[in-house]
Amino acid sequence: MDKGVKRCRHPAGVAAVGACLASGGAALADPLALSGPVSDAGDFSLAQLESMAASTVTVGTNSYTGVSLWSLLGGTSTGTSDVIVSSDKNAILRDYIVATGSNGAKSLISLGELDPFFGGTGQPILVAYQENGNPLSSLQLIVPQDPTGTRDIAGLRRRMA
């Protein structure tokens, strides 16, 4: 079963297109693939993810370490980005990511929630590989702004329904 996060743009009457962040299987040893309309598309090993600027967020009593989803998709701390591919008005609100877990749970995130100069002003949304300093068995999407944890996705899955 494939794992991942998919970035889509879905204006009225147009089929969804976008980038996909996916690992080939459940284990962290599998490479993570980033594809679609971003300049840094490619496969990322766990070692490569760990060599990127790590972010740590605290949610309740747990601490998660991983790569900011904004930076993994090509966004920078200055707000410039190759993530937003359209110049249409409010494109940042129409472009979104759908994350699906191995259990079928789904989470939708607009790119506006990720951009640090738009709505992404709190703790970053992460693709986490550690919890409390210990390796996770599969990559997890962590949305620290959601106090209920219902938008967090464990065992990211590539196939989108």
Side-chain angles (χ1 to χ4, degrees), residues 43-56:
D43 292 338
F44 298 89
S45 68
L46 177 59
Q48 288 172 310
L49 290 174
E50 291 175 331
S51 73
M52 295 178 181
S55 295
T56 299

Side-chain angles (χ1 to χ4, degrees), residues 28 50 63-66 126-136:
L28 280 178
E50 291 175 331
S63 173
Y64 296 92
T65 301
L126 292 183
V127 174
Y129 47 77
Q130 286 183 1
E131 180 180 13
N132 299 324
N134 299 311
L136 290 165

Side-chain angles (χ1 to χ4, degrees), residues 5-9 17-22 32-44 52 68-76 80-86 95-97 111 114:
V5 175
K6 184 174 185 176
R7 182 206 162 246
C8 301
R9 182 169 185 268
V17 298
C20 183
L21 174 64
L32 196 69
L34 177 59
S35 60
V38 291
S39 65
D40 51 352
D43 292 338
F44 298 89
M52 295 178 181
S68 149
L69 185 54
W70 175 250
S71 63
L72 188 61
L73 292 172
T76 69
T80 60
S81 168
D82 67 350
V83 176
I84 308 300
V85 296
S86 171
D95 289 358
Y96 56 90
I97 295 166
L111 291 181
L114 300 175

